[in-house]
């Protein structure tokens, strides 16, 4: 998929096709404004990672993002992509090497889906055949049937589909870097969740460096490898992994920003397949109930899980039910608490609460039984996650030069007012 | 869409019917010798040709001036000048056409050339302001998306802004053409030729048939130009726009 001619800036290491980005003391002061929209920001964005920008409205997220592809020219400072200073190069050429996704996709309404996606490859002079093949490949990647959607106009697509095409267009020339400005802001919550999951799937395939602005802290936690929390003037309040931001908010500002649900947000950080599952006694329809009963008594379990011939859970039977029955029944219990192994602990806990059960059955690919997750497992996982916080990788560099100055000035002015 | 198509067909049928009635009336009417001479088909054809020539030459000049000017006035660096330029163009249209033509004739001399100059002044406004409005109503996020994926400013203008502005611009061009056809009638006052001659002759020599025939021909010509304009608008509208 990667085209060595195009992604000249990327240095393939393993699967990672992304490029590292370094903002060095970048400042943006809009003409006629006293305060800088972005003040002396130094930020390291590691290759192949997803970095989320969050912060209150007007704090400079978009400005910072657009300075990476120089849609907005920095007033001072350098932007370095994969070791190359791009601050002085031709902006149009730079932008052809950086994918850009905006809210609602930003598709050109007078062009078909295929033409929209083909814009950048055309500018780069690809052959027609190569472009056509690439368009289809990308539509597949974003889960749209090429036959069906290639020749449609944007207005003939749903909001979520437009957003997908927007992502496909951004990925067209296989750029090492993808910039997204509130990409999922304009779609309904269910579509948003699906698009988020899809982006994660795509990212696991393409391993780009993604910088994404969002208003939604939960989205930042879900998608981000690293989260940058900005205050006014793009002052970095905290730049760290979602785990550590939730566990140790760096300031009161961050604490307020992530809100009171922060303790529970740990639950969305861990996926079910990351915790140790409990084994249990399984059986199949047609077995003698008394045999199964003695098995679970021997194993010290409360119930047995009945699986169908493909290993999919059908129902569970506790000791009382087993002692009453003679033969194990094969009927399916629709109220069985089941979660997929990709679900978050939050989802698992939800499932257990809804079913008033203290454990849930975990299934893997093709709904095959994997084990049990209990309320206790969830609690232990949270405790363990909190404890392991400090052993995580080192966070990338992020700071504002003159940040101390700004604080001084602010304190000075506020004390001046009170005096 | 189909309603628009039907409208086009009706308009064409109406024009054809009116023209047929005019011809039948002229053929069957009891005309004097002078009337017969003035309304000789060859002569009328010559006047119509002159009329269209004046109109089309002015139209081309209008487009060549107003569209680039409109584009220029929507660029960020000169955007501030737009209101002033529009005020001037507004003045050009608000001034009575006959006054402009006669005044210019004293300055530039009598003849078709001066007629064209004054027609251009008169018809710039609709094209200019529709070009500006058409470009301004293009969603700025699309412009930004285009720049964001590495299109140059010029590429964004030609591939995104102008195509999306086409419907509004064409409406302005059609308005200008209709204005021009009508106003070109005044060219005759400064020896500029055109169908206006029929009208002035009709008035001066008190030939009512000539006067009526001339007026009807100008009206039919304007309606025909309007029809062609509408047709082009439909055909040139970018696909994918609702
Ligand atoms: N083109 C511009 N000209 C002047 N000032 C601007 C311009 N764009 C942004 N600003 C100002 O710069 C500051 C940062 O704006 P920016 O768009 O980066 O904020 P943001 O964090 O993206 O906000 P939001 O979450 O609302 O999108 C704001 O105070 C804004 O008013
Ligand atoms: Mg923004």
């Amino acid at each position: 998929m990667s085209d060595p001619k195009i992604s000249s800036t990327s240095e393939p290491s393993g699967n990672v096709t992304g490029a590292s980005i370094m903002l060095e003391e970048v400042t943006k002061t809009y003409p006629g404004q006293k305060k800088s929209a972005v003040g002396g920001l130094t930020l390291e964005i590691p290759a192949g990672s997803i970095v989320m920008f969050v912060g209150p409205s007007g704090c400079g997220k978009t400005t910072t993002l657009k300075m990476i592809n120089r849609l907005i020219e920095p007033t001072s400072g350098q932007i370095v992509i994969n070791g190359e200073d791009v601050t002085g190069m031709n902006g149009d050429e730079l932008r052809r090497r950086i994918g850009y996704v905006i809210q609602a996709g930003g598709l050109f309404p007078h062009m078909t889906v295929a033409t929209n996606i083909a814009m950048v490859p055309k500018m780069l002079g690809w052959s027609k055949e190569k472009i056509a093949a690439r368009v289809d490949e990308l539509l597949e990647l974003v889960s749209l049937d090429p036959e069906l959607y290639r020749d449609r106009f944007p207005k003939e697509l749903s909001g979520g589909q437009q957003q997908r095409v927007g992502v496909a267009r951004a990925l067209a020339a296989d750029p090492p870097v993808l910039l997204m400005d509130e990409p999922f802001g304009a779609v309904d919550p269910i579509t948003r969740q699906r698009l988020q999951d899809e982006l994660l799937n795509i990212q696991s395939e393409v391993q780009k460096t993604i910088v994404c602005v969002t208003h939604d802290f939960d989205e930042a936690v879900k998608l981000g490898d690293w989260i940058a929390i900005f205050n006014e003037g793009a002052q970095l309040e905290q730049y760290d992994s979602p785990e550590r931001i939730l566990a140790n908010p760096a300031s009161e500002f961050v604490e307020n920003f992530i809100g009171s649900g922060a303790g529970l947000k740990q639950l969305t950080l861990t996926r079910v397949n990351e915790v140790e599952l409990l084994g249990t006694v399984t059986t199949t329809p047609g077995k003698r109930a008394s045999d199964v009963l003695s098995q679970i008594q021997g194993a010290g379990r409360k119930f047995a899980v009945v699986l169908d011939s493909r290993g999919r859970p059908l129902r569970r039977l506790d000791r009382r039910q087993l002692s009453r029955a003679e033969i194990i029944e094969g009927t399916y219990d629709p109220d069985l608490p089941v979660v997929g192994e990709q679900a978050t602990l939050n989802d698992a806990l939800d499932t257990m609460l809804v079913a008033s059960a203290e454990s849930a059955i975990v299934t893997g690919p093709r709904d095959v039984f994997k084990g049990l997750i209990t309320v206790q497992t969830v609690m232990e996982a949270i405790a363990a996650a909190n404890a392991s916080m400090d052993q995580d990788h080192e966070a990338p560099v992020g700071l504002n030069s003159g940040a101390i100055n700004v604080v001084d000035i602010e304190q000075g002015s506020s004390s001046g007012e009170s005096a | 869409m189909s309603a628009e198509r039907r409208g086009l067909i009706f308009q064409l049928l109406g024009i054809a019917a009116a023209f047929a009635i005019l011809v039948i009336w002229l053929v069957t009417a009891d005309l004097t010798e002078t009337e017969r001479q003035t309304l000789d088909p060859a002569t009328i054809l010559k006047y119509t040709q002159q009329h269209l020539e004046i109109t089309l030459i002015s139209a081309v000049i209008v487009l060549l001036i107003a569209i680039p000017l409109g584009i220029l006035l929507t660029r960020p660096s000169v955007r501030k000048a737009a209101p002033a330029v529009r005020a001037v163009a507004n003045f050009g249209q608000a001034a009575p056409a006959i006054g402009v033509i006669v005044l210019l004739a004293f300055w530039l001399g009598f003849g078709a050339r001066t007629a064209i100059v004054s027609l251009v002044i008169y018809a710039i406004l609709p094209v200019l302001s529709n070009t500006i409005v058409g470009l301004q109503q293009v969603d700025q996020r699309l412009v930004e998306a285009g720049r964001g994926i590495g299109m140059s400013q010029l590429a964004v203008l030609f591939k995104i802004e102008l195509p999306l502005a086409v419907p509004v611009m064409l409406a302005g061009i059609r308005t200008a053409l209709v204005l021009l056809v009508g106003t070109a009638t005044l060219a005759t006052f400064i020896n500029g030729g055109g169908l206006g001659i029929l009208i002035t002759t009709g008035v001066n020599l008190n030939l009512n048939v000539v006067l009526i025939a001339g007026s009807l021909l100008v009206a039919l010509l304007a309606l025909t130009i309007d029809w062609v304009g509408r047709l082009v608008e439909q055909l040139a509208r970018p696909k994918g726009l609702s």
Side-chain angles (χ1 to χ4, degrees):
Chain A
M1 186 140 79
S2 77
D3 185 319
K5 248 192 344 208
I6 306 313
S7 42
S8 50
T9 50
S10 74
E11 46 166 59
S13 65
N15 266 341
V16 178
T17 62
S20 66
I21 305 169
M22 190 75 196
L23 305 186
E24 286 170 6
E25 302 203 15
V26 171
T27 296
K28 176 67 191 182
T29 314
Y30 285 107
Q33 286 182 7
K34 267 187 241 147
K35 267 187 161 179
S36 298
V38 175
L41 177 65
T42 295
L43 196 72
E44 178 195 3
I45 295 168
S49 62
I50 301 183
V51 170
M52 306 296 292
F53 287 0
V54 295
S57 187
C59 70
K61 305 181 290 290
T62 299
T63 304
T64 306
L65 188 82
K66 286 189 188 165
M67 283 196 288
I68 297 177
N69 67 3
R70 304 225 336 268
L71 266 181
I72 292 177
E73 295 286 353
T75 312
S76 66
Q78 264 97 50
I79 293 130
V80 179
I81 297 183
N82 250 15
E84 183 193 353
D85 185 347
V86 299
T87 326
M89 78 175 283
N90 179 300
D92 292 331
E93 272 163 36
L94 172 68
R95 286 186 281 275
R96 281 172 212 167
R97 303 192 331 209
I98 297 180
Y100 186 56
V101 185
I102 60 175
Q103 202 175 71
L107 300 182
F108 306 132
H110 58 305
M111 299 178 189
T112 62
V113 164
T115 317
N116 264 290
I117 297 176
M119 290 304 281
V120 180
K122 253 188 220 153
M123 284 189 272
L124 294 171
W126 291 21
S127 72
K128 268 204 176 125
E129 301 75 45
K130 191 176 168 194
I131 292 178
R134 181 69 177 147
V135 166
D136 285 3
E137 183 188 4
L138 283 161
L139 283 174
E140 301 270 7
L141 183 69
V142 297
S143 320
L144 292 173
D145 181 1
E147 291 297 323
L148 227 52
Y149 293 101
R150 197 192 288 132
D151 297 321
R152 289 209 190 169
F153 284 100
K155 69 160 185 202
E156 297 163 337
L157 302 178
S158 73
Q161 290 169 337
Q162 290 184 15
Q163 194 60 61
R164 289 195 177 103
V165 176
V167 172
R169 182 175 70 184
L171 289 171
D174 206 23
V177 174
L178 204 58
L179 306 180
M180 314 178 97
D181 197 347
E182 305 197 28
F184 310 134
V187 292
D188 63 274
I190 293 169
T191 310
R192 184 180 314 146
Q193 199 194 321
R194 201 166 304 150
L195 290 170
Q196 288 167 346
D197 292 344
E198 235 168 63
L199 181 69
L200 286 174
N201 284 337
I202 293 172
Q203 169 68 350
S204 69
E205 254 181 72
V206 298
Q207 299 276 309
K208 302 294 180 194
T209 304
I210 300 179
V211 186
C212 179
V213 172
T214 179
H215 259 120
D216 177 0
F217 190 71
D218 285 336
E219 179 169 88
V221 170
K222 180 169 178 185
L223 297 179
D225 296 313
W226 308 104
I227 300 178
I229 302 181
F230 291 110
N231 202 342
E232 205 163 301
Q235 297 297 310
L236 254 185
E237 289 284 339
Q238 192 166 10
Y239 183 36
D240 213 329
S241 64
E243 292 82 358
R244 278 192 292 201
I245 288 178
L246 285 169
N248 304 307
S251 63
E252 209 181 318
F253 175 86
V254 175
E255 224 163 272
N256 289 334
F257 191 79
I258 62 188
S260 55
L264 286 177
K265 283 203 168 91
Q266 276 288 348
L267 288 172
T268 56
L269 285 170
T270 318
R271 290 174 207 273
V272 169
N273 60 3
E274 292 167 26
V275 302
E276 206 170 320
L277 302 179
L278 242 57
T280 189
V281 173
T282 62
T283 181
T284 48
K287 292 265 166 67
R288 283 166 57 111
S290 56
D291 290 353
V292 179
L293 184 60
S294 53
Q295 265 181 348
I296 62 171
Q297 276 166 342
R301 301 291 181 202
K302 285 189 188 144
F303 56 82
V305 177
V306 184
L307 306 179
D308 70 3
S309 56
R310 292 196 194 165
R312 294 177 298 199
L314 290 170
R315 61 183 301 129
R316 44 189 214 180
L317 297 170
D318 61 22
R319 293 182 181 197
R320 203 147 40 88
Q321 287 167 312
L322 282 170
S323 62
R324 272 190 256 129
E326 243 179 63
I327 298 287
I328 303 292
E329 266 188 78
T331 48
Y332 172 69
D333 174 11
D335 296 328
L336 196 64
V338 178
V339 292
E341 62 176 351
Q342 294 281 356
T344 62
L345 293 188
N346 200 20
D347 299 332
L349 210 50
D350 259 355
T351 310
M352 289 185 244
L353 289 175
V354 168
S356 313
E358 59 191 38
S359 65
I361 294 171
V362 179
T363 56
R366 298 198 191 87
D367 296 333
V368 170
F369 175 79
K370 282 263 162 153
L372 295 179
I373 187 166
T374 63
V375 173
Q376 180 134 20
T377 323
V378 173
M379 293 309 160
E380 280 165 7
I382 293 173
N386 284 338
S388 72
M389 223 74 309
D390 305 327
Q391 296 152 26
D392 259 348
H393 293 296
E394 284 231 354
V397 179
L399 55 97
N400 296 85
S401 63
I404 295 154
N405 259 342
V406 170
V407 173
D408 272 346
I409 290 165
E410 277 175 4
Q411 280 174 346
S413 69
S414 63
S415 63
E417 272 164 20
S418 61
Chain B
M1 196 68 186
S2 68
E4 281 173 33
R5 285 261 158 85
R6 228 174 302 141
L8 272 180
I9 292 168
F10 279 138
Q11 186 172 354
L12 187 61
L13 291 178
I15 292 169
F19 186 70
I21 291 169
L22 177 65
V23 170
I24 292 168
W25 175 61
L26 287 180
V27 169
T28 54
D30 188 18
L31 299 180
T32 66
E33 189 52 29
T34 356
E35 282 170 340
R36 201 171 292 284
Q37 263 176 16
T38 336
L39 290 175
D40 170 50
T43 324
I44 291 188
L45 206 65
K46 193 185 81 191
Y47 292 153
T48 310
Q49 217 173 336
Q50 279 178 353
H51 200 100
L52 279 177
E53 250 167 49
I54 300 171
T55 306
L56 292 183
I57 292 173
S58 339
V60 169
I61 298 173
V62 165
L63 298 190
L64 287 179
I65 296 174
I67 292 180
L69 190 62
I71 291 172
L72 196 70
L73 289 175
T74 48
R75 298 307 95 187
S77 43
V78 275
R79 203 170 279 164
K80 285 187 208 106
V85 175
R86 260 163 101 168
V88 172
N90 231 329
F91 179 77
Q93 195 180 28
I98 181 75
V100 174
I101 286 188
V102 172
L103 281 179
L104 273 180
F106 281 114
W107 179 34
L108 299 173
F110 286 65
R113 215 173 50 104
T114 306
I116 289 171
V117 172
S118 46
L119 287 180
V120 167
I121 293 175
Y122 194 56
I124 283 223
L125 181 72
V127 180
L128 178 68
S129 66
N130 275 40
T131 304
I132 292 177
V133 169
L135 287 171
Q136 276 173 345
Q137 48 104 53
V138 173
D139 190 342
Q140 279 310 297
R141 285 174 310 174
L142 295 181
V143 173
E144 196 203 287
R147 299 285 286 148
I149 64 170
M151 297 171 79
S152 66
Q153 264 174 331
L154 220 55
V156 169
L157 173 66
F158 281 105
K159 291 188 182 148
I160 298 170
E161 293 183 88
L162 282 175
L164 291 176
V166 153
V168 179
M169 286 170 66
L170 282 178
I173 293 171
R174 179 168 53 85
T175 310
L177 277 169
V178 172
L179 266 178
L180 283 173
V181 175
T183 319
T185 316
L186 301 176
T188 181
F189 287 111
I190 57 167
N191 298 331
L195 285 168
I197 291 172
L198 292 182
I199 297 171
T200 39
T201 315
V203 172
N204 293 343
L205 305 184
N206 207 4
L207 303 174
N208 280 341
V209 182
V210 175
L211 174 59
I212 293 170
S215 313
L216 280 177
L217 279 174
V218 171
L220 284 177
L221 202 58
L223 277 171
T224 311
I225 296 270
D226 179 73
W227 181 82
V228 173
R230 282 180 201 277
L231 187 70
V232 172
E233 269 172 60
Q234 282 212 8
L235 297 180
R237 168 177 304 229
K239 275 187 222 150
L241 300 188
S242 43

